[in-house]
Amino acid sequence: MSEIKPWQIILIIAAVVVLAFSGWRMISAGSIDQPDGHMTVDVMTGQLYLVQKGKAKGIVYPSTNPDTGDRTLIPVSQDEDSGVWKLDERFMDRITDDMRSQSKALGSGVRVTVLDTDPIVHVLKK
């Protein structure tokens, strides 16, 4: 085996310095704020629910309403300009014709009428 050349020693030292600096930056970086949960609405009643994952592995939508046991909780967001509540369009195909005919909250298209009460916090798995 041949001897280690000076440029190889410099390269190894530089790699160790870069690795140490990267590790220090990752450890000392601040944490990213995560959302508290997903705002959902019971499409049958218009009641808002803040669904939190807790220790569950994931959330399946429509999610189960903790009061009725039915899968009627669909993600919703409020338009900042108009204040209108709108269903997430990705989940519109999960609303059946039966749900639409019995609903007190569903409007035309993605619009939904919500109750004026505070959202109910629902943790899926504590």
Side-chain angles (χ1 to χ4, degrees):
M1 278 189 14
S2 64
E3 295 184 22
I4 296 178
K5 298 182 174 55
W7 66 269
Q8 292 172 326
I9 294 173
I10 293 171
L11 184 65
I12 291 171
I13 292 172
V16 169
V17 169
V18 168
L19 184 63
F21 178 74
S22 298
W24 173 75
R25 291 279 300 188
M26 285 190 340
I27 291 172
S28 65
S31 64
I32 298 172
D33 292 334
Q34 298 292 322
D36 293 336
H38 299 235
M39 188 61 69
T40 62
V41 65
D42 183 339
V43 293
M44 303 307 284
T45 64
Q47 174 64 51
L48 289 173
Y49 286 83
L50 180 62
V51 175
Q52 296 177 338
K53 189 174 78 152
K55 293 184 180 179
K57 293 191 181 212
I59 301 175
V60 176
Y61 290 112
S63 190
T64 305
N65 183 322
D67 300 325
T68 64
D70 296 329
R71 290 192 164 275
T72 56
L73 300 181
I74 304 281
V76 68
S77 61
Q78 187 176 27
D79 187 89
E80 292 180 14
D81 298 329
S82 65
V84 173
W85 287 92
K86 296 181 179 181
L87 295 171
D88 190 329
E89 292 184 27
R90 295 177 293 179
F91 301 101
M92 290 299 292
D93 62 337
R94 307 224 174 112
I95 298 175
T96 63
D97 292 333
D98 188 38
M99 290 170 76
R100 196 168 282 285
S101 65
Q102 294 178 10
S103 173
K104 299 175 187 173
L106 290 173
S108 61
V110 295
R111 295 181 74 154
V112 65
T113 305
V114 299
L115 300 177
D116 289 333
T117 58
D118 289 334
I120 297 172
V121 177
H122 172 52
V123 180
L124 294 179
K125 188 174 182 182
K126 294 181 181 182

